[in-house]
Amino acid sequence: MKLVIKDKKINILYANSFKLRFFGLMGKKKITYGIFFPNCNSIHTFFMKDEIDIIMLNKNNQILYLYENFKKNHILYKKEAKHIIELPKGFIKKYKFKINDYIKIVN
């Protein structure tokens, strides 16, 4: 799958299985892809090997919150969020994500 924003595409996994939702990017090194968590408003970064970037979306896939280089061993919860995207650190800056941008998820 791909995350599309402003004609830029990023490879992502769609977290639709228990295993992928539970483990996410936990324990991974040198990550080059993201994970989309549908119907999710909280994540943790316990057992992560590195910091990650986090995007929180509303039900229309509009960006509500951006967290760059989110630290290991923390919990993040936002009641308003409907979906979450975990990305390798530096991707928010590299792809110039902004609050209120819309994101598409395509095959």
Side-chain angles (χ1 to χ4, degrees):
M1 298 195 83
K2 304 260 186 219
L3 177 156
V4 180
I5 183 166
K6 299 176 187 174
D7 297 327
K8 297 174 189 161
K9 295 179 181 179
I10 300 171
N11 290 324
I12 60 165
L13 299 177
Y14 190 85
N16 58 356
S17 70
F18 174 79
K19 184 178 178 182
L20 189 53
R21 287 182 76 86
F22 183 78
F23 289 106
L25 296 175
M26 205 179 343
K28 305 276 192 294
K29 292 182 181 179
K30 298 182 183 175
I31 307 162
T32 60
Y33 59 90
I35 300 181
F36 177 75
F37 293 89
N39 302 311
C40 179
N41 65 0
S42 65
I43 62 161
H44 70 84
T45 56
F46 299 114
F47 310 109
M48 297 292 289
K49 296 287 184 188
D50 205 355
E51 299 167 346
I52 59 172
D53 286 355
I54 299 168
I55 300 174
M56 300 182 105
L57 308 168
N58 67 13
K59 66 181 180 179
N60 300 315
N61 288 348
Q62 182 180 23
I63 298 175
L64 297 175
Y65 303 99
L66 295 169
Y67 296 91
E68 293 184 73
N69 303 320
F70 195 76
K71 304 281 186 222
K72 301 183 284 184
N73 302 315
H74 285 78
I75 296 173
L76 180 60
Y77 165 77
K78 292 292 182 182
K79 183 179 179 181
E80 308 82 26
K82 182 67 175 169
H83 312 296
I84 294 177
I85 300 170
E86 292 182 355
L87 295 166
K89 73 177 178 180
F91 269 47
I92 288 175
K93 190 176 204 172
K94 177 179 178 180
Y95 290 95
K96 300 177 181 160
F97 290 102
K98 303 255 187 284
I99 301 293
N100 294 322
D101 282 347
Y102 285 90
I103 289 175
K104 278 197 278 185
I105 307 296
V106 297
N107 283 331

